[in-house]
Amino acid sequence: MSACNDARNGTYINMVNKVLEINYEEFCCIDELESGDKALAQAAVEAIKGSYAPYSNFNVGAAVRMSDGRVFTGANQENAAYPSGLCAERTAMFYAHAHREGAMMESIAVAASQNGVLCPSPATPCGDCRQVMAEFQTEAGKPMSVILVGGDRIWKFPSVDSVLPFIFDSL
Ligand code: THU
């Protein structure tokens, strides 16, 4: 009898419990980051100024660092027809990718504010943005770090895999 048949009878022979562990770093403030990450985090905070969010009043900025050192920023852009808007992360990544000139994405930082105040907790990217990060990490062929900036704490994930486990990758 195969293991599957046994499972149907309520007897699990080959099933194994697995646990996924995600390691990331927490910093208390932007000044605690190393210089490259600090500059990227600051660029993400600065990019919030470009946000157009009259519907949600949730202002998000993102900054992408390329392998050649260039930094591209973007902010969320909303629209009266809600789905027509775009998150800050994808605005920044698509802008960066359109100007990549052979460079690859190395890192992305994200920050959000409400009523002009940086959100205390780090803003965490939506699933669509994580999938787009995954695509560009695959293109780069090496880990792309993700830095989520909050007023009270900052999280640094070593790669997109940490924020999007079991990445779908058709390439
Ligand atoms: N938003 C982002 O720009 N990035 C995120 O990580 C989460 C959400 C935007 C989309 C929309 O303009 C507003 O925040 C509220 O969801």
Side-chain angles (χ1 to χ4, degrees):
M1 190 186 284
S2 75
C4 286
N5 285 337
D6 280 354
R8 262 186 248 135
N9 293 330
T11 314
Y12 295 91
I13 293 175
N14 294 326
M15 190 273 275
V16 177
N17 269 316
K18 306 249 179 179
V19 175
L20 182 69
E21 198 175 61
I22 296 175
N23 289 306
Y24 60 100
E25 299 168 320
E26 184 174 277
F27 301 87
C28 68
C29 57
I30 285 182
D31 286 335
E32 214 188 340
L33 297 169
E34 58 92 358
S35 64
D37 289 349
K38 181 176 168 180
L40 199 65
Q42 283 169 333
V45 173
E46 180 72 15
I48 294 174
K49 290 180 185 158
S51 166
Y52 175 67
Y55 305 102
S56 71
N57 290 312
F58 190 63
N59 303 107
V60 189
V64 176
R65 187 177 63 238
M66 308 299 287
S67 52
D68 60 8
R70 286 178 299 156
V71 170
F72 292 96
T73 62
N76 58 330
Q77 305 296 317
E78 297 186 350
N79 191 276
Y82 294 168
S84 300
L86 196 65
C87 292
E89 295 90 322
R90 275 174 289 161
T91 304
M93 284 188 284
F94 291 152
Y95 175 44
H97 200 249
H99 296 273
R100 64 193 180 285
E101 294 167 7
M104 300 294 170
M105 281 181 217
E106 222 172 58
S107 185
I108 182 168
V110 188
S113 75
Q114 271 177 308
N115 305 315
V117 180
L118 195 61
C119 295
S121 300
T124 54
C126 77
D128 284 343
C129 289
R130 293 175 201 215
Q131 184 62 37
V132 172
M133 288 175 194
E135 180 94 10
F136 295 139
Q137 175 177 263
T138 299
E139 186 185 61
K142 53 183 178 181
M144 172 177 167
S145 58
V146 180
I147 301 166
L148 307 180
V149 182
D152 280 358
R153 55 193 173 277
I154 296 168
W155 293 333
K156 180 177 179 181
F157 298 86
S159 75
V160 177
D161 305 63
S162 302
V163 294
L164 185 65
F166 305 108
I167 284 176
F168 170 71
D169 172 17
S170 66
L171 301 179

PDB file of all heavy atoms in Angstrom, residues 51-62 74-79 82 85-91 110-112 123-127 129-130 133 148, ligand 1:
ATOM      1  N   SER A  51       4.646  61.483  -2.796  1.00  0.00           N
ATOM      2  CA  SER A  51       3.416  60.680  -2.717  1.00  0.00           C
ATOM      3  C   SER A  51       2.196  61.487  -3.135  1.00  0.00           C
ATOM      4  O   SER A  51       2.061  62.669  -2.796  1.00  0.00           O
ATOM      5  CB  SER A  51       3.242  60.193  -1.270  1.00  0.00           C
ATOM      6  OG  SER A  51       1.941  59.692  -1.064  1.00  0.00           O
ATOM      7  N   TYR A  52       1.313  60.814  -3.874  1.00  0.00           N
ATOM      8  CA  TYR A  52       0.001  61.398  -4.218  1.00  0.00           C
ATOM      9  C   TYR A  52      -1.032  60.421  -3.689  1.00  0.00           C
ATOM     10  O   TYR A  52      -1.304  59.391  -4.310  1.00  0.00           O
ATOM     11  CB  TYR A  52      -0.111  61.569  -5.739  1.00  0.00           C
ATOM     12  CG  TYR A  52      -1.473  62.047  -6.183  1.00  0.00           C
ATOM     13  CD1 TYR A  52      -1.942  63.314  -5.859  1.00  0.00           C
ATOM     14  CD2 TYR A  52      -2.305  61.218  -6.938  1.00  0.00           C
ATOM     15  CE1 TYR A  52      -3.197  63.746  -6.266  1.00  0.00           C
ATOM     16  CE2 TYR A  52      -3.563  61.635  -7.361  1.00  0.00           C
ATOM     17  CZ  TYR A  52      -3.998  62.905  -7.007  1.00  0.00           C
ATOM     18  OH  TYR A  52      -5.244  63.328  -7.412  1.00  0.00           O
ATOM     19  N   ALA A  53      -1.535  60.705  -2.494  1.00  0.00           N
ATOM     20  CA  ALA A  53      -2.436  59.751  -1.832  1.00  0.00           C
ATOM     21  C   ALA A  53      -3.648  60.456  -1.228  1.00  0.00           C
ATOM     22  O   ALA A  53      -3.888  60.377  -0.015  1.00  0.00           O
ATOM     23  CB  ALA A  53      -1.670  58.978  -0.760  1.00  0.00           C
ATOM     24  N   PRO A  54      -4.437  61.161  -2.073  1.00  0.00           N
ATOM     25  CA  PRO A  54      -5.589  61.890  -1.533  1.00  0.00           C
ATOM     26  C   PRO A  54      -6.713  60.967  -1.060  1.00  0.00           C
ATOM     27  O   PRO A  54      -7.608  61.424  -0.351  1.00  0.00           O
ATOM     28  CB  PRO A  54      -6.045  62.740  -2.725  1.00  0.00           C
ATOM     29  CG  PRO A  54      -5.592  61.985  -3.921  1.00  0.00           C
ATOM     30  CD  PRO A  54      -4.307  61.312  -3.525  1.00  0.00           C
ATOM     31  N   TYR A  55      -6.678  59.684  -1.447  1.00  0.00           N
ATOM     32  CA  TYR A  55      -7.769  58.758  -1.093  1.00  0.00           C
ATOM     33  C   TYR A  55      -7.472  58.004   0.201  1.00  0.00           C
ATOM     34  O   TYR A  55      -8.355  57.811   1.030  1.00  0.00           O
ATOM     35  CB  TYR A  55      -8.054  57.811  -2.267  1.00  0.00           C
ATOM     36  CG  TYR A  55      -8.345  58.607  -3.513  1.00  0.00           C
ATOM     37  CD1 TYR A  55      -7.377  58.771  -4.502  1.00  0.00           C
ATOM     38  CD2 TYR A  55      -9.557  59.286  -3.657  1.00  0.00           C
ATOM     39  CE1 TYR A  55      -7.623  59.562  -5.626  1.00  0.00           C
ATOM     40  CE2 TYR A  55      -9.809  60.086  -4.765  1.00  0.00           C
ATOM     41  CZ  TYR A  55      -8.842  60.223  -5.749  1.00  0.00           C
ATOM     42  OH  TYR A  55      -9.085  61.023  -6.836  1.00  0.00           O
ATOM     43  N   SER A  56      -6.226  57.569   0.373  1.00  0.00           N
ATOM     44  CA  SER A  56      -5.885  56.804   1.588  1.00  0.00           C
ATOM     45  C   SER A  56      -5.214  57.671   2.656  1.00  0.00           C
ATOM     46  O   SER A  56      -5.181  57.295   3.824  1.00  0.00           O
ATOM     47  CB  SER A  56      -4.930  55.661   1.228  1.00  0.00           C
ATOM     48  OG  SER A  56      -3.648  56.175   0.909  1.00  0.00           O
ATOM     49  N   ASN A  57      -4.645  58.791   2.216  1.00  0.00           N
ATOM     50  CA  ASN A  57      -3.829  59.614   3.128  1.00  0.00           C
ATOM     51  C   ASN A  57      -2.699  58.806   3.769  1.00  0.00           C
ATOM     52  O   ASN A  57      -2.275  59.085   4.893  1.00  0.00           O
ATOM     53  CB  ASN A  57      -4.691  60.266   4.214  1.00  0.00           C
ATOM     54  CG  ASN A  57      -5.582  61.336   3.626  1.00  0.00           C
ATOM     55  OD1 ASN A  57      -5.104  62.190   2.860  1.00  0.00           O
ATOM     56  ND2 ASN A  57      -6.868  61.296   3.925  1.00  0.00           N
ATOM     57  N   PHE A  58      -2.267  57.772   3.070  1.00  0.00           N
ATOM     58  CA  PHE A  58      -1.133  56.957   3.526  1.00  0.00           C
ATOM     59  C   PHE A  58      -0.002  57.212   2.529  1.00  0.00           C
ATOM     60  O   PHE A  58      -0.088  56.811   1.368  1.00  0.00           O
ATOM     61  CB  PHE A  58      -1.539  55.478   3.542  1.00  0.00           C
ATOM     62  CG  PHE A  58      -0.548  54.568   4.202  1.00  0.00           C
ATOM     63  CD1 PHE A  58      -0.240  54.693   5.554  1.00  0.00           C
ATOM     64  CD2 PHE A  58       0.079  53.559   3.477  1.00  0.00           C
ATOM     65  CE1 PHE A  58       0.669  53.837   6.169  1.00  0.00           C
ATOM     66  CE2 PHE A  58       0.983  52.697   4.077  1.00  0.00           C
ATOM     67  CZ  PHE A  58       1.272  52.843   5.428  1.00  0.00           C
ATOM     68  N   ASN A  59       0.990  57.934   2.975  1.00  0.00           N
ATOM     69  CA  ASN A  59       2.054  58.375   2.066  1.00  0.00           C
ATOM     70  C   ASN A  59       3.270  57.466   2.186  1.00  0.00           C
ATOM     71  O   ASN A  59       3.815  57.298   3.278  1.00  0.00           O
ATOM     72  CB  ASN A  59       2.436  59.816   2.383  1.00  0.00           C
ATOM     73  CG  ASN A  59       1.234  60.748   2.297  1.00  0.00           C
ATOM     74  OD1 ASN A  59       0.721  61.218   3.322  1.00  0.00           O
ATOM     75  ND2 ASN A  59       0.747  60.986   1.111  1.00  0.00           N
ATOM     76  N   VAL A  60       3.667  56.905   1.068  1.00  0.00           N
ATOM     77  CA  VAL A  60       4.759  55.925   1.073  1.00  0.00           C
ATOM     78  C   VAL A  60       5.867  56.359   0.111  1.00  0.00           C
ATOM     79  O   VAL A  60       5.590  56.876  -0.978  1.00  0.00           O
ATOM     80  CB  VAL A  60       4.241  54.519   0.666  1.00  0.00           C
ATOM     81  CG1 VAL A  60       5.321  53.461   0.883  1.00  0.00           C
ATOM     82  CG2 VAL A  60       2.981  54.152   1.432  1.00  0.00           C
ATOM     83  N   GLY A  61       7.098  56.165   0.533  1.00  0.00           N
ATOM     84  CA  GLY A  61       8.254  56.452  -0.326  1.00  0.00           C
ATOM     85  C   GLY A  61       9.135  55.216  -0.416  1.00  0.00           C
ATOM     86  O   GLY A  61       9.182  54.411   0.521  1.00  0.00           O
ATOM     87  N   ALA A  62       9.811  55.056  -1.523  1.00  0.00           N
ATOM     88  CA  ALA A  62      10.723  53.916  -1.680  1.00  0.00           C
ATOM     89  C   ALA A  62      11.965  54.365  -2.428  1.00  0.00           C
ATOM     90  O   ALA A  62      11.911  55.302  -3.241  1.00  0.00           O
ATOM     91  CB  ALA A  62      10.031  52.774  -2.437  1.00  0.00           C
ATOM     92  N   GLY A  74      10.762  56.567  -5.624  1.00  0.00           N
ATOM     93  CA  GLY A  74       9.382  56.643  -6.093  1.00  0.00           C
ATOM     94  C   GLY A  74       8.458  56.772  -4.894  1.00  0.00           C
ATOM     95  O   GLY A  74       8.884  56.565  -3.751  1.00  0.00           O
ATOM     96  N   ALA A  75       7.215  57.133  -5.164  1.00  0.00           N
ATOM     97  CA  ALA A  75       6.224  57.273  -4.097  1.00  0.00           C
ATOM     98  C   ALA A  75       4.893  56.764  -4.622  1.00  0.00           C
ATOM     99  O   ALA A  75       4.684  56.694  -5.840  1.00  0.00           O
ATOM    100  CB  ALA A  75       6.114  58.736  -3.683  1.00  0.00           C
ATOM    101  N   ASN A  76       3.995  56.409  -3.703  1.00  0.00           N
ATOM    102  CA  ASN A  76       2.711  55.873  -4.174  1.00  0.00           C
ATOM    103  C   ASN A  76       1.906  56.941  -4.904  1.00  0.00           C
ATOM    104  O   ASN A  76       1.921  58.119  -4.543  1.00  0.00           O
ATOM    105  CB  ASN A  76       1.910  55.233  -3.031  1.00  0.00           C
ATOM    106  CG  ASN A  76       1.611  56.169  -1.874  1.00  0.00           C
ATOM    107  OD1 ASN A  76       2.375  57.080  -1.587  1.00  0.00           O
ATOM    108  ND2 ASN A  76       0.498  55.933  -1.204  1.00  0.00           N
ATOM    109  N   GLN A  77       1.247  56.514  -5.951  1.00  0.00           N
ATOM    110  CA  GLN A  77       0.458  57.398  -6.808  1.00  0.00           C
ATOM    111  C   GLN A  77      -0.951  56.820  -6.894  1.00  0.00           C
ATOM    112  O   GLN A  77      -1.141  55.719  -7.423  1.00  0.00           O
ATOM    113  CB  GLN A  77       1.076  57.463  -8.215  1.00  0.00           C
ATOM    114  CG  GLN A  77       2.542  57.881  -8.237  1.00  0.00           C
ATOM    115  CD  GLN A  77       2.782  59.297  -7.721  1.00  0.00           C
ATOM    116  OE1 GLN A  77       2.037  60.217  -8.049  1.00  0.00           O
ATOM    117  NE2 GLN A  77       3.817  59.468  -6.906  1.00  0.00           N
ATOM    118  N   GLU A  78      -1.909  57.532  -6.360  1.00  0.00           N
ATOM    119  CA  GLU A  78      -3.287  57.018  -6.353  1.00  0.00           C
ATOM    120  C   GLU A  78      -4.110  57.626  -7.479  1.00  0.00           C
ATOM    121  O   GLU A  78      -3.670  58.545  -8.177  1.00  0.00           O
ATOM    122  CB  GLU A  78      -3.913  57.282  -4.975  1.00  0.00           C
ATOM    123  CG  GLU A  78      -3.165  56.536  -3.874  1.00  0.00           C
ATOM    124  CD  GLU A  78      -3.811  56.641  -2.506  1.00  0.00           C
ATOM    125  OE1 GLU A  78      -4.751  57.453  -2.326  1.00  0.00           O
ATOM    126  OE2 GLU A  78      -3.372  55.900  -1.611  1.00  0.00           O
ATOM    127  N   ASN A  79      -5.308  57.077  -7.655  1.00  0.00           N
ATOM    128  CA  ASN A  79      -6.185  57.514  -8.731  1.00  0.00           C
ATOM    129  C   ASN A  79      -7.629  57.350  -8.283  1.00  0.00           C
ATOM    130  O   ASN A  79      -7.925  56.446  -7.487  1.00  0.00           O
ATOM    131  CB  ASN A  79      -5.915  56.650  -9.987  1.00  0.00           C
ATOM    132  CG  ASN A  79      -6.591  57.208 -11.211  1.00  0.00           C
ATOM    133  OD1 ASN A  79      -7.769  56.953 -11.451  1.00  0.00           O
ATOM    134  ND2 ASN A  79      -5.857  57.984 -11.979  1.00  0.00           N
ATOM    135  N   TYR A  82      -9.538  53.486  -8.119  1.00  0.00           N
ATOM    136  CA  TYR A  82      -8.543  52.985  -7.160  1.00  0.00           C
ATOM    137  C   TYR A  82      -7.497  52.006  -7.713  1.00  0.00           C
ATOM    138  O   TYR A  82      -6.309  52.171  -7.447  1.00  0.00           O
ATOM    139  CB  TYR A  82      -9.234  52.356  -5.942  1.00  0.00           C
ATOM    140  CG  TYR A  82     -10.004  53.335  -5.081  1.00  0.00           C
ATOM    141  CD1 TYR A  82     -10.880  52.884  -4.106  1.00  0.00           C
ATOM    142  CD2 TYR A  82      -9.867  54.714  -5.249  1.00  0.00           C
ATOM    143  CE1 TYR A  82     -11.597  53.783  -3.313  1.00  0.00           C
ATOM    144  CE2 TYR A  82     -10.576  55.609  -4.464  1.00  0.00           C
ATOM    145  CZ  TYR A  82     -11.447  55.135  -3.503  1.00  0.00           C
ATOM    146  OH  TYR A  82     -12.152  56.016  -2.722  1.00  0.00           O
ATOM    147  N   GLY A  85      -4.001  53.063  -9.305  1.00  0.00           N
ATOM    148  CA  GLY A  85      -2.848  53.615  -8.597  1.00  0.00           C
ATOM    149  C   GLY A  85      -1.706  52.618  -8.512  1.00  0.00           C
ATOM    150  O   GLY A  85      -1.832  51.473  -8.955  1.00  0.00           O
ATOM    151  N   LEU A  86      -0.584  53.066  -7.971  1.00  0.00           N
ATOM    152  CA  LEU A  86       0.571  52.169  -7.842  1.00  0.00           C
ATOM    153  C   LEU A  86       1.313  52.465  -6.537  1.00  0.00           C
ATOM    154  O   LEU A  86       1.471  53.618  -6.141  1.00  0.00           O
ATOM    155  CB  LEU A  86       1.520  52.353  -9.030  1.00  0.00           C
ATOM    156  CG  LEU A  86       2.552  51.243  -9.230  1.00  0.00           C
ATOM    157  CD1 LEU A  86       1.890  49.918  -9.573  1.00  0.00           C
ATOM    158  CD2 LEU A  86       3.560  51.615 -10.316  1.00  0.00           C
ATOM    159  N   CYS A  87       1.780  51.392  -5.907  1.00  0.00           N
ATOM    160  CA  CYS A  87       2.542  51.516  -4.664  1.00  0.00           C
ATOM    161  C   CYS A  87       3.890  52.200  -4.918  1.00  0.00           C
ATOM    162  O   CYS A  87       4.428  52.168  -6.032  1.00  0.00           O
ATOM    163  CB  CYS A  87       2.836  50.130  -4.087  1.00  0.00           C
ATOM    164  SG  CYS A  87       1.387  49.250  -3.499  1.00  0.00           S
ATOM    165  N   ALA A  88       4.444  52.721  -3.838  1.00  0.00           N
ATOM    166  CA  ALA A  88       5.749  53.390  -3.904  1.00  0.00           C
ATOM    167  C   ALA A  88       6.849  52.429  -4.383  1.00  0.00           C
ATOM    168  O   ALA A  88       7.703  52.808  -5.199  1.00  0.00           O
ATOM    169  CB  ALA A  88       6.108  53.915  -2.523  1.00  0.00           C
ATOM    170  N   GLU A  89       6.813  51.197  -3.874  1.00  0.00           N
ATOM    171  CA  GLU A  89       7.877  50.240  -4.204  1.00  0.00           C
ATOM    172  C   GLU A  89       7.930  49.967  -5.705  1.00  0.00           C
ATOM    173  O   GLU A  89       8.999  49.969  -6.329  1.00  0.00           O
ATOM    174  CB  GLU A  89       7.660  48.906  -3.471  1.00  0.00           C
ATOM    175  CG  GLU A  89       7.753  49.003  -1.959  1.00  0.00           C
ATOM    176  CD  GLU A  89       6.408  49.297  -1.303  1.00  0.00           C
ATOM    177  OE1 GLU A  89       5.615  50.081  -1.879  1.00  0.00           O
ATOM    178  OE2 GLU A  89       6.175  48.753  -0.213  1.00  0.00           O
ATOM    179  N   ARG A  90       6.741  49.710  -6.300  1.00  0.00           N
ATOM    180  CA  ARG A  90       6.759  49.417  -7.738  1.00  0.00           C
ATOM    181  C   ARG A  90       7.042  50.665  -8.566  1.00  0.00           C
ATOM    182  O   ARG A  90       7.695  50.585  -9.599  1.00  0.00           O
ATOM    183  CB  ARG A  90       5.452  48.741  -8.170  1.00  0.00           C
ATOM    184  CG  ARG A  90       5.496  47.224  -7.961  1.00  0.00           C
ATOM    185  CD  ARG A  90       4.174  46.582  -8.251  1.00  0.00           C
ATOM    186  NE  ARG A  90       3.195  46.929  -7.220  1.00  0.00           N
ATOM    187  CZ  ARG A  90       1.883  46.831  -7.375  1.00  0.00           C
ATOM    188  NH1 ARG A  90       1.385  46.428  -8.531  1.00  0.00           N
ATOM    189  NH2 ARG A  90       1.072  47.114  -6.391  1.00  0.00           N
ATOM    190  N   THR A  91       6.582  51.817  -8.100  1.00  0.00           N
ATOM    191  CA  THR A  91       6.903  53.061  -8.806  1.00  0.00           C
ATOM    192  C   THR A  91       8.426  53.211  -8.871  1.00  0.00           C
ATOM    193  O   THR A  91       8.999  53.486  -9.930  1.00  0.00           O
ATOM    194  CB  THR A  91       6.277  54.273  -8.072  1.00  0.00           C
ATOM    195  OG1 THR A  91       4.872  54.062  -7.956  1.00  0.00           O
ATOM    196  CG2 THR A  91       6.522  55.559  -8.832  1.00  0.00           C
ATOM    197  N   VAL A 110      11.948  51.261   2.176  1.00  0.00           N
ATOM    198  CA  VAL A 110      10.560  51.736   2.133  1.00  0.00           C
ATOM    199  C   VAL A 110      10.242  52.477   3.433  1.00  0.00           C
ATOM    200  O   VAL A 110      10.656  52.048   4.514  1.00  0.00           O
ATOM    201  CB  VAL A 110       9.573  50.539   2.003  1.00  0.00           C
ATOM    202  CG1 VAL A 110       8.158  51.034   1.761  1.00  0.00           C
ATOM    203  CG2 VAL A 110      10.000  49.577   0.897  1.00  0.00           C
ATOM    204  N   ALA A 111       9.513  53.570   3.307  1.00  0.00           N
ATOM    205  CA  ALA A 111       9.083  54.318   4.494  1.00  0.00           C
ATOM    206  C   ALA A 111       7.679  54.845   4.245  1.00  0.00           C
ATOM    207  O   ALA A 111       7.293  55.087   3.097  1.00  0.00           O
ATOM    208  CB  ALA A 111      10.043  55.477   4.776  1.00  0.00           C
ATOM    209  N   ALA A 112       6.906  55.036   5.325  1.00  0.00           N
ATOM    210  CA  ALA A 112       5.536  55.532   5.156  1.00  0.00           C
ATOM    211  C   ALA A 112       5.219  56.560   6.231  1.00  0.00           C
ATOM    212  O   ALA A 112       5.782  56.513   7.338  1.00  0.00           O
ATOM    213  CB  ALA A 112       4.544  54.368   5.252  1.00  0.00           C
ATOM    214  N   ALA A 123       6.605  50.041   7.393  1.00  0.00           N
ATOM    215  CA  ALA A 123       5.571  49.720   6.397  1.00  0.00           C
ATOM    216  C   ALA A 123       6.019  48.460   5.674  1.00  0.00           C
ATOM    217  O   ALA A 123       7.161  48.384   5.210  1.00  0.00           O
ATOM    218  CB  ALA A 123       5.415  50.875   5.416  1.00  0.00           C
ATOM    219  N   THR A 124       5.149  47.488   5.600  1.00  0.00           N
ATOM    220  CA  THR A 124       5.535  46.232   4.952  1.00  0.00           C
ATOM    221  C   THR A 124       4.902  46.145   3.562  1.00  0.00           C
ATOM    222  O   THR A 124       3.713  46.421   3.389  1.00  0.00           O
ATOM    223  CB  THR A 124       5.108  45.025   5.813  1.00  0.00           C
ATOM    224  OG1 THR A 124       3.716  45.138   6.095  1.00  0.00           O
ATOM    225  CG2 THR A 124       5.862  44.999   7.122  1.00  0.00           C
ATOM    226  N   PRO A 125       5.689  45.812   2.564  1.00  0.00           N
ATOM    227  CA  PRO A 125       5.216  45.823   1.165  1.00  0.00           C
ATOM    228  C   PRO A 125       4.083  44.832   0.901  1.00  0.00           C
ATOM    229  O   PRO A 125       4.015  43.764   1.521  1.00  0.00           O
ATOM    230  CB  PRO A 125       6.451  45.401   0.359  1.00  0.00           C
ATOM    231  CG  PRO A 125       7.597  45.506   1.279  1.00  0.00           C
ATOM    232  CD  PRO A 125       7.080  45.383   2.670  1.00  0.00           C
ATOM    233  N   CYS A 126       3.223  45.189  -0.027  1.00  0.00           N
ATOM    234  CA  CYS A 126       2.127  44.291  -0.407  1.00  0.00           C
ATOM    235  C   CYS A 126       2.680  43.116  -1.227  1.00  0.00           C
ATOM    236  O   CYS A 126       3.834  43.125  -1.670  1.00  0.00           O
ATOM    237  CB  CYS A 126       1.064  45.049  -1.207  1.00  0.00           C
ATOM    238  SG  CYS A 126       1.519  45.376  -2.918  1.00  0.00           S
ATOM    239  N   GLY A 127       1.862  42.128  -1.430  1.00  0.00           N
ATOM    240  CA  GLY A 127       2.283  40.926  -2.156  1.00  0.00           C
ATOM    241  C   GLY A 127       2.735  41.201  -3.578  1.00  0.00           C
ATOM    242  O   GLY A 127       3.725  40.621  -4.053  1.00  0.00           O
ATOM    243  N   CYS A 129       4.099  43.907  -4.749  1.00  0.00           N
ATOM    244  CA  CYS A 129       5.432  44.532  -4.725  1.00  0.00           C
ATOM    245  C   CYS A 129       6.506  43.504  -4.399  1.00  0.00           C
ATOM    246  O   CYS A 129       7.602  43.534  -4.960  1.00  0.00           O
ATOM    247  CB  CYS A 129       5.460  45.684  -3.722  1.00  0.00           C
ATOM    248  SG  CYS A 129       4.511  47.126  -4.282  1.00  0.00           S
ATOM    249  N   ARG A 130       6.194  42.567  -3.509  1.00  0.00           N
ATOM    250  CA  ARG A 130       7.171  41.523  -3.181  1.00  0.00           C
ATOM    251  C   ARG A 130       7.473  40.666  -4.410  1.00  0.00           C
ATOM    252  O   ARG A 130       8.604  40.255  -4.649  1.00  0.00           O
ATOM    253  CB  ARG A 130       6.641  40.641  -2.034  1.00  0.00           C
ATOM    254  CG  ARG A 130       6.540  41.402  -0.729  1.00  0.00           C
ATOM    255  CD  ARG A 130       5.899  40.587   0.378  1.00  0.00           C
ATOM    256  NE  ARG A 130       5.394  41.505   1.406  1.00  0.00           N
ATOM    257  CZ  ARG A 130       5.382  41.268   2.707  1.00  0.00           C
ATOM    258  NH1 ARG A 130       5.824  40.122   3.174  1.00  0.00           N
ATOM    259  NH2 ARG A 130       4.915  42.159   3.565  1.00  0.00           N
ATOM    260  N   MET A 133       9.758  42.585  -6.590  1.00  0.00           N
ATOM    261  CA  MET A 133      11.116  42.527  -6.017  1.00  0.00           C
ATOM    262  C   MET A 133      11.780  41.208  -6.389  1.00  0.00           C
ATOM    263  O   MET A 133      12.961  41.162  -6.739  1.00  0.00           O
ATOM    264  CB  MET A 133      11.052  42.609  -4.477  1.00  0.00           C
ATOM    265  CG  MET A 133      10.688  43.954  -3.920  1.00  0.00           C
ATOM    266  SD  MET A 133      10.520  43.814  -2.106  1.00  0.00           S
ATOM    267  CE  MET A 133       9.690  45.354  -1.759  1.00  0.00           C
ATOM    268  N   LEU A 148      12.964  48.140   5.746  1.00  0.00           N
ATOM    269  CA  LEU A 148      11.657  48.732   6.047  1.00  0.00           C
ATOM    270  C   LEU A 148      11.826  49.707   7.212  1.00  0.00           C
ATOM    271  O   LEU A 148      12.203  49.316   8.314  1.00  0.00           O
ATOM    272  CB  LEU A 148      10.645  47.625   6.378  1.00  0.00           C
ATOM    273  CG  LEU A 148      10.538  46.517   5.312  1.00  0.00           C
ATOM    274  CD1 LEU A 148       9.506  45.470   5.717  1.00  0.00           C
ATOM    275  CD2 LEU A 148      10.180  47.111   3.929  1.00  0.00           C
TER     276      LEU A 148
HETATM  277  N1  THU B   1       1.103  51.390  -0.431  1.00  0.00           N
HETATM  278  C1  THU B   1       2.384  51.488  -0.851  1.00  0.00           C
HETATM  279  O1  THU B   1       2.749  52.395  -1.612  1.00  0.00           O
HETATM  280  N2  THU B   1       3.271  50.571  -0.412  1.00  0.00           N
HETATM  281  C2  THU B   1       2.995  49.622   0.527  1.00  0.00           C
HETATM  282  O2  THU B   1       3.893  48.900   0.934  1.00  0.00           O
HETATM  283  C3  THU B   1       1.636  49.447   1.009  1.00  0.00           C
HETATM  284  C4  THU B   1       0.616  50.330   0.418  1.00  0.00           C
HETATM  285  C5  THU B   1       0.170  52.403  -0.862  1.00  0.00           C
HETATM  286  C6  THU B   1      -0.895  51.986  -1.812  1.00  0.00           C
HETATM  287  C7  THU B   1      -1.951  53.033  -1.543  1.00  0.00           C
HETATM  288  O3  THU B   1      -1.640  54.209  -2.266  1.00  0.00           O
HETATM  289  C8  THU B   1      -1.793  53.345  -0.078  1.00  0.00           C
HETATM  290  O4  THU B   1      -0.487  52.920   0.269  1.00  0.00           O
HETATM  291  C9  THU B   1      -2.810  52.681   0.828  1.00  0.00           C
HETATM  292  O5  THU B   1      -2.837  51.330   0.632  1.00  0.00           O
END
